[in-house]
Every structure is written in structure tokens, then in C-alpha cells.
Amino acid sequence: MPIANNFLFPDEFRDEFFYELKVGYCEGCHMVQLVERVEPERLFHDHYAFYSSTSSRMARHFEAFADEVCQKYLRSPDPFVIEIGSNDGIMLKHFAHRGLRHLGIEPSKNVAQVALDQHLDVISEFFSVDLSAEIVRKRGKADAILGANVMCHIPNLHSVAEGIKQLLKPEGVLIFEDPYLGDIVEKTSYDQIYDEHVFYFSLHSISGFFEGHGMEVIDIVPQDVHGGSMRYVIARKNGGRISDRVKTQLAKERAIGLDRPETFDSLSRNIERSRDELIAVLRDLKTKGKRVVGYGATSKSTTVINYCGITPDLVQHISDTTPIKQGKYSPGGHIPIRPYESFCADYPDVALLFAWNHADEIMAKEKRFLESGGKWLTYIPKVEVIG
Ligand code: SAH
Ligand code: TMP
């Protein structure tokens, strides 16, 4: 596989980097993770292509996340909130606007700059134990440490846990959310699997992991963003009452088999079936002379395009609203990325919904496309032509 977010120009095709994308399940600790990892510096740098604020739905989601943290977890007189992977400030700004002490830690310099331009307090570095020690020295300990779609990105998770323990006040909480393994299994959403996502967490794996670091999961809240995510609230052991939801979810995970290897054998078969069906539909559309365009040059689409073998003769181009991606080509498959305006100016017969995790927002916006006879092709949870 190529790097999922490495949208590139033709003169870069020759030197494109590839690695082997392979996922393993540990029967001992129930963690599902990549077997071969790409060095973080290759993924997160000064031209990182993902800007969180491109989705209005996610903007609302993070405003609500910040509201909940303020209401439930910031009880001290002058609270200090840290966000790991704060990106363009989509959540951090809600703490800043309240006048609260805050700090974002964001290694990708271009997205960190967007937050700095809004006068948010951000350090552009990778989170690590060493950085935690420096923050404690200079700014003190945190009431809450937050992370969204970032914990699963950090290969050295043990170092993160140790850093968090140093950095949290005794009664402080770590609250983070990531795509949830249960949803991946239930929806066959294999496109969540790519270089940045080193881990595919379940409550089983997260509970065991933090237990090993003297911490425990005190609450969980399922989230319907990014194709199904789970929010975990974690405190030092005996730091808080454990919600009944934790016990219920562990039982649910046993019922769907997240603690058993056979589940992943069957997921693997479902993924192969999904690939065969999608490519068959695309070939059929080509035979019928239909014009197909991709909608959303998501990082996830890199897995689908390269795993299924989708080529520019099957999908002419991909429409995307992110300026940094436009005019470039998709990683590996080299499908051109065009501005959203070109989608509106010349509707295709079929739009392949790569940004399926934003389906509600997109369907609401694209009523005219359906009215004018356009159809959607989706593949999660199943391959289907809609419209
Ligand atoms: N929290 C945002 C961004 C998620 S993308 C959201 O949910 O939309 C993941 C972000 O984590 C990227 O901006 C990346 O640069 C950052 N990141 C990756 N490794 C990190 C690390 N070790 N420490 C802090 N941030 C990291
Ligand atoms: P994500 O799935 O990783 O959040 O990325 C979504 C991508 O899709 C991002 O590049 C922006 C793009 N996009 C559009 O082009 N149009 C839209 O309406 C939405 C919501 C996203």
C-alpha cells in the first residue's frame, strides 16, 4: 500500500513509497494492530493533507465534546485541558473561547499553524513521555487530557500511557475516541485499515492495556462519527466509579466475538467478498458506458482503491473540497483529484461515495445530484447502487 494521505503530482509517482499493510490480532491482549508500521515522520509533517474542519458535522461533534468535558470533568477553579492531535483547532478553540487554560499538541505543522493563527496555544511536536515532563515543569498538570482519532495513530502507546500518567492530576481524566473495532467487524469497514491507524481498539483491548499502567476505563460512550467510534473515559485506578455501560459493553463484545480469532477470519472473508462485488459493479458500469466519479478523496479511499484495484478507467476522477489535495493524484492508484466545483458543474452518472462516513451531511447537500438522475455507489456496509 502507498501512504494513505500522500496525494501526489505525476513527477513524484516514480519514487512513491509502499509498505505491506497487514493486520494482526493478539489472543493474549485482544489488540488488533498493524504488523508493519510506517515511521510517524513520514505521515505527519508540514504538508499533512487532513484538515479536521472540512466537515461541518465534525465541527458540531467537537463542540459538543468540548461542552461535555466542561460540564462533567472540569471542576477545579482554574482547569487546564490538553488535547493530543489538536489538528486545526476544531475542538481546542472551544476551550480557548471560554478563557480556559489549554494546550494542543500537534506535530503536523501546517494544520497546527491554522490553530496558532486563531491564537490557540499549540506545541507542534509529537506527544511523548519527554514532552509530558517538560509540560509538567512549565505549565503544571492537567485536569483533562483529550484525544480524537489520534491514540490509534501512535505506535508507542506504552510511552503515551506513561506520559499521560505523569501529566494528569491525581483526579484527572483521559478522554479519547477512535474508530471502534466492533463497527469495523459489523460493517466490514475495512477501509479504516491504513498506515495512520496502527490500532483498532475494542473495550477489551483498551481495558487490558490501561490496567497494565495502573489506570482503568470508568466510562464509554459510543459515537456515530467516522463510521462508528468509541469514546473512552479513563482515570487512575480507584479514581472514579465505573459506569454500568462498561460491563454491558464488555458482554456485548464477547457476544460479537471481539475476543476470539475466528471473528477476524470471518471478517477477512467478508472483506474479500466486498472487494469482488465492488470491482464487478465498477466493471459493469464501465461496460455500460457510465461515467463514475469518486466523492471525497478520503484517507480510507486509498485502501479501497489499491486493495480493489480501482483504476482511472473505472473512476474518472475524485471530487474533494480540500485545496491541498486538488490538482494532485490519489496515492497508488493515481486517480486525479478535482475541486468539488467540477462535480457540480458536470454531474457523473454514478458517484462512488468514498466519504461514506459523512453520508448524512453529503446526502443533505447533494439532493440536486439525485434529482438530476445521478446515482450513488456505496460499499459500506454493503455494495449497493442507490438512487
Ligand atoms: N483530532 C482531530 C485530528 C485527527 S487526525 C480530529 O479528530 O479530527 C490525527 C492527528 O493526530 C493529526 O493531525 C496528526 O498530526 C496528529 N498526531 C499524530 N501523531 C501524533 C502524536 N504522537 N502526538 C500528537 N499528535 C499526533
Ligand atoms: P475523512 O473521511 O477522513 O473525514 O475525510 C473526508 C474527505 O472528504 C476530506 O478530504 C474532505 C472530503 N469531503 C468532501 O469533499 N465533501 C464533503 O462534503 C465532505 C463532508 C468531505
Side-chain angles (χ1 to χ4, degrees):
M1 285 285 157
I3 301 292
N5 263 313
N6 187 34
F7 297 90
L8 68 183
F9 291 115
D11 62 353
E12 297 167 304
F13 290 171
R14 213 172 51 98
D15 295 327
E16 194 170 5
F17 175 86
F18 289 86
Y19 70 100
E20 191 178 357
L21 180 64
K22 212 173 180 182
V23 193
Y25 166 72
C26 173
E27 289 188 43
C29 70
H30 306 300
M31 193 66 91
V32 172
Q33 66 189 80
L34 296 189
V35 175
E36 186 179 322
R37 295 157 177 189
V38 178
E39 319 82 88
E41 289 76 10
R42 214 181 245 288
L43 309 177
F44 309 113
H45 34 54
D46 60 2
H47 53 282
Y48 182 56
F50 178 71
Y51 288 75
S52 301
S53 299
T54 44
S55 161
S56 57
R57 165 79 209 287
M58 290 311 295
R60 287 196 301 277
H61 172 78
F62 285 121
E63 184 173 4
F65 191 158
D67 284 350
E68 188 173 321
V69 171
C70 291
Q71 280 161 22
K72 279 173 98 170
Y73 299 103
L74 302 183
R75 302 240 170 75
S76 74
D78 178 24
F80 179 31
V81 181
I82 294 178
E83 187 187 353
I84 303 176
S86 48
N87 199 278
D88 57 13
I90 190 168
M91 174 151 70
L92 201 60
K93 68 180 177 193
H94 296 292
F95 299 102
H97 292 168
R98 287 177 166 93
L100 297 174
R101 285 196 298 135
H102 64 278
L103 178 66
I105 300 165
E106 174 47 68
S108 297
K109 294 211 162 22
N110 57 323
V111 294
Q113 191 58 46
V114 177
L116 286 166
D117 290 344
Q118 299 169 67
H119 308 291
L120 307 182
D121 207 345
V122 175
I123 303 179
S124 192
E125 280 187 49
F126 286 93
F127 183 76
S128 65
V129 187
D130 294 344
L131 184 64
S132 312
E134 191 184 319
I135 298 170
V136 173
R137 252 194 336 271
K138 292 188 177 155
R139 303 170 186 244
K141 296 196 176 196
D143 295 74
I145 300 180
L146 313 176
N149 309 300
V150 62
M151 286 300 177
C152 72
H153 290 54
I154 309 183
N156 195 348
L157 210 52
H158 289 292
S159 144
V160 171
E162 285 310 306
I164 284 167
K165 257 171 78 180
Q166 277 188 24
L167 201 47
L168 266 188
K169 286 183 183 171
E171 68 288 4
V173 284
L174 162 69
I175 310 175
F176 71 92
E177 62 187 41
D178 280 298
Y180 177 56
L181 182 64
D183 286 290
I184 296 176
V185 168
E186 285 187 337
K187 298 175 187 154
T188 317
S189 43
Y190 66 92
D191 56 348
Q192 296 283 10
I193 302 172
Y194 61 91
D195 47 30
E196 291 182 24
H197 292 169
V198 177
F199 299 102
Y200 306 84
F201 296 138
S202 62
L203 180 55
H204 269 79
S205 61
I206 284 297
S207 304
F209 175 80
F210 280 99
E211 194 146 310
H213 289 277
M215 301 176 85
E216 61 190 355
V217 180
I218 58 169
D219 202 1
I220 46 127
V221 194
Q223 305 291 325
D224 64 0
V225 294
H226 285 312
S229 293
M230 187 63 81
R231 185 177 297 167
Y232 305 89
V233 183
I234 290 162
R236 272 175 229 276
K237 262 215 158 113
N238 307 315
R241 201 188 72 83
I242 297 179
S243 139
D244 291 342
R245 279 194 285 260
V246 173
K247 217 189 290 133
T248 312
Q249 192 67 27
L250 284 171
K252 218 164 158 184
E253 290 192 349
R254 280 189 290 273
I256 59 169
L258 296 190
D259 59 342
R260 290 192 300 279
E262 308 83 80
T263 307
F264 305 101
D265 293 335
S266 113
L267 174 62
S268 176
R269 285 191 295 275
N270 291 342
I271 292 171
E272 284 167 7
R273 190 176 315 127
S274 172
R275 171 191 60 190
D276 296 347
E277 286 176 14
L278 180 59
I279 209 77
V281 171
L282 287 170
R283 288 200 182 121
D284 183 50
L285 289 168
K286 185 186 165 185
T287 310
K288 291 179 174 143
K290 302 288 182 197
R291 198 163 68 87
V292 182
V293 157
Y295 195 104
T298 59
S299 21
K300 290 187 288 295
S301 69
T302 296
T303 295
V304 178
I305 290 167
N306 292 284
Y307 175 66
C308 300
I310 300 175
T311 40
D313 62 313
L314 297 176
V315 172
Q316 215 175 59
H317 67 258
I318 306 170
S319 151
D320 197 283
T321 53
T322 318
I324 198 175
K325 297 181 184 176
Q326 298 162 359
K328 293 186 177 172
Y329 290 77
S330 75
H334 302 162
I335 301 174
I337 315 296
R338 298 264 165 82
Y340 171 59
E341 290 68 28
S342 63
F343 175 81
C344 300
D346 185 15
Y347 282 146
D349 298 304
V350 177
L352 174 54
L353 187 58
F354 285 130
W356 60 269
N357 51 313
H358 300 290
D360 292 349
E361 178 175 348
I362 292 168
M363 296 300 160
K365 189 159 78 178
E366 302 299 352
K367 290 206 177 86
R368 204 166 62 83
F369 169 59
L370 278 184
E371 284 160 13
S372 68
K375 292 189 182 348
W376 290 102
L377 170 56
T378 65
Y379 45 88
I380 308 274
K382 60 176 198 266
V383 175
E384 201 174 13
V385 178
I386 302 165

